[in-house]
């Protein structure tokens, strides 16, 4: 068996096209242009790349977008004041505070200060809690994107065994909850888990740990759908995921490449979250 590649770039382009169409309609029918404000503190190189990509996507779909770029010496109180101003600005429908923040700032405090209805990342405790309870909520972008990728390849989680490797608040935990909502039987693995035996049972495997090629291809259940969220740079400069790609592709039915799999979906779903916030704000 040779797995079919799940083209995240192509799916993300479809999502952005759908959003752009809806922005035109929203503007024409209700006079609303979705607005996304991004806050990037300091000069973290990776953050700069991510924020540039987000701004480009926002412009492509027809959003208003703003980048606030305070120096890394900003105090927590000053950053909270900036978040408060964005909370009160009716032109801003989505707020994204790019992580990581400088060490003297408590990220949890800043995230909790964003109004839940403007939380474009889906990280606010209220949104996380509503997801847990099965209520409508802004969803964390990366797992939300994974759900769209599964949908695109016709993979219905209902009745399937799903294994999520990694239990972060950003990917692993919300991913498990989204799969559970779709009636999968879900196992969450971590450093104490027996990974080979757990992975071998997965009809749907989502790996998000940030360890190069941690999951070996030989562990993959034949016919499984494999979603690799990891992106790691090896000593030779090559980008690899958390799954041993070539060997896994010989056993899986579908697999995401790295790069070009999950990554583009994260930004696309950030745009979708912002659009949905604008739709709610206008009601």
């Amino acid at each position: 068996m040779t797995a079919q590649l799940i083209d995240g770039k192509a799916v993300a382009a479809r999502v952005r096209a759908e959003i752009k169409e809806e922005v035109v309609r929203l503007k024409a029918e209700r006079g609303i242009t979705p607005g996304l404000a991004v806050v990037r503190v300091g000069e973290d190189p990776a953050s700069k790349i991510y924020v540039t990509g987000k701004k480009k996507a926002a412009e492509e779909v027809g959003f208003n977008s703003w980048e606030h770029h305070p120096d890394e010496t900003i105090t927590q109180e000053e950053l909270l004041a900036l978040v408060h101003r964005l909370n009160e600005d009716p032109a801003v429908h989505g707020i994204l505070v790019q992580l990581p923040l400088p060490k003297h700032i408590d990220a949890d405090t800043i995230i909790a200060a964003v109004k839940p209805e403007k939380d474009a990342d889906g990280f606010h405790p209220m949104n996380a809690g509503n997801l847990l309870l099965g209520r409508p909520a802004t969803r964390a972008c990366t797992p939300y994107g994974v759900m769209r990728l599964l949908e695109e390849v016709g993979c219905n989680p209902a009745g399937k065994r799903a294994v999520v490797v990694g239990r972060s608040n950003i990917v692993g935990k919300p991913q498990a909850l989204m799969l559970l909502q779709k009636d999968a039987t879900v196992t969450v693995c971590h450093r104490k888990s027996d990974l080979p035996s757990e992975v071998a049972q997965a009809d749907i495997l989502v790996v998000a740990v940030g360890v190069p090629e941690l999951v070996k291809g030989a562990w993959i259940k034949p016919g499984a759908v494999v979603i690799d969220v990891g992106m790691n740079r090896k000593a030779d400069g090559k980008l690899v995921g958390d799954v041993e790609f070539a060997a896994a592709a010989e056993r899986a039915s579908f697999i995401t490449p790295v790069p070009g799999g999950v990554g583009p979906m994260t930004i696309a779903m950030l745009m979708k979250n912002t659009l949905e916030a604008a739709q709610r704000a206008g009601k």
Side-chain angles (χ1 to χ4, degrees):
M1 179 182 294
T2 302
Q4 284 185 250
L5 288 185
I6 305 175
D7 188 344
K9 284 185 181 177
V11 178
R14 279 199 288 280
V15 172
R16 292 195 305 272
E18 294 164 9
I19 293 168
K20 188 173 183 177
E21 194 174 299
E22 184 58 24
V23 168
V24 170
R25 191 194 66 77
L26 196 61
K27 200 169 181 179
E29 294 182 7
R30 293 162 58 192
I32 296 170
T33 300
L36 174 65
V38 179
V39 179
R40 176 170 69 92
V41 180
E43 294 297 341
D44 180 78
S47 292
K48 186 174 184 180
I49 293 167
Y50 294 146
V51 167
T52 300
K54 289 163 184 174
K55 282 178 64 182
K56 184 180 175 185
E59 289 161 10
E60 181 189 335
V61 298
F63 288 2
N64 291 326
S65 69
W66 306 270
E67 181 185 351
H68 297 267
H69 183 207
D71 190 81
E72 65 181 12
T73 58
I74 190 172
T75 66
Q76 182 157 306
E77 291 69 29
E78 288 168 338
L79 186 55
L80 285 168
L82 171 57
V83 169
H84 179 70
R85 289 198 301 274
L86 296 174
N87 279 338
E88 300 308 312
D89 186 344
V92 174
H93 301 101
I95 300 170
L96 180 149
V97 180
Q98 182 67 46
L99 302 177
L101 292 170
K103 289 179 181 175
H104 67 278
I105 293 175
D106 181 54
D108 289 343
T109 299
I110 302 300
I111 289 166
V114 176
K115 278 187 176 179
E117 59 268 29
K118 291 193 175 189
D119 165 34
D121 260 330
F123 294 166
H124 192 282
M126 186 174 291
N127 285 322
N130 280 331
L131 176 62
L132 175 67
L133 296 171
R135 296 173 181 166
T138 304
R139 299 181 173 201
C141 301
T142 299
Y144 195 12
V146 169
M147 298 307 290
R148 176 63 184 257
L149 290 177
L150 293 175
E151 186 183 312
E152 287 281 332
V153 299
C155 178
N156 179 2
K160 292 186 172 67
R161 185 173 289 276
V163 172
V164 178
V165 182
R167 56 179 171 185
S168 73
N169 294 332
I170 292 173
V171 182
K173 289 176 187 173
Q175 187 71 75
L177 290 168
M178 290 180 203
L179 287 162
L180 193 60
Q181 282 187 350
K182 293 293 184 181
D183 300 318
T185 300
V186 183
T187 299
V188 179
C189 295
H190 43 77
R191 67 183 70 246
K192 300 290 186 182
S193 303
D194 180 356
L195 272 186
S197 64
E198 297 292 352
V199 167
Q201 298 181 65
D203 302 307
I204 299 168
L205 177 67
V206 182
V207 188
V209 287
V211 179
E213 299 174 324
L214 172 72
V215 173
K216 305 307 175 189
W219 303 349
I220 305 296
K221 181 179 180 179
V225 176
V226 177
I227 308 289
D228 190 347
V229 181
M231 185 175 289
N232 314 284
R233 193 173 294 279
K234 296 178 80 174
D236 62 3
K238 184 183 177 186
L239 282 173
V240 297
D242 292 346
V243 177
E244 188 184 32
F245 179 82
E250 292 177 7
R251 297 172 67 86
S253 57
F254 291 92
I255 191 168
T256 55
V258 176
V262 176
M265 294 301 297
T266 299
I267 293 179
M269 303 320 275
L270 172 71
M271 300 303 125
K272 187 170 177 64
N273 281 344
T274 303
L275 170 65
E276 290 172 352
Q279 290 169 325
R280 290 193 301 269
K283 289 182 181 176

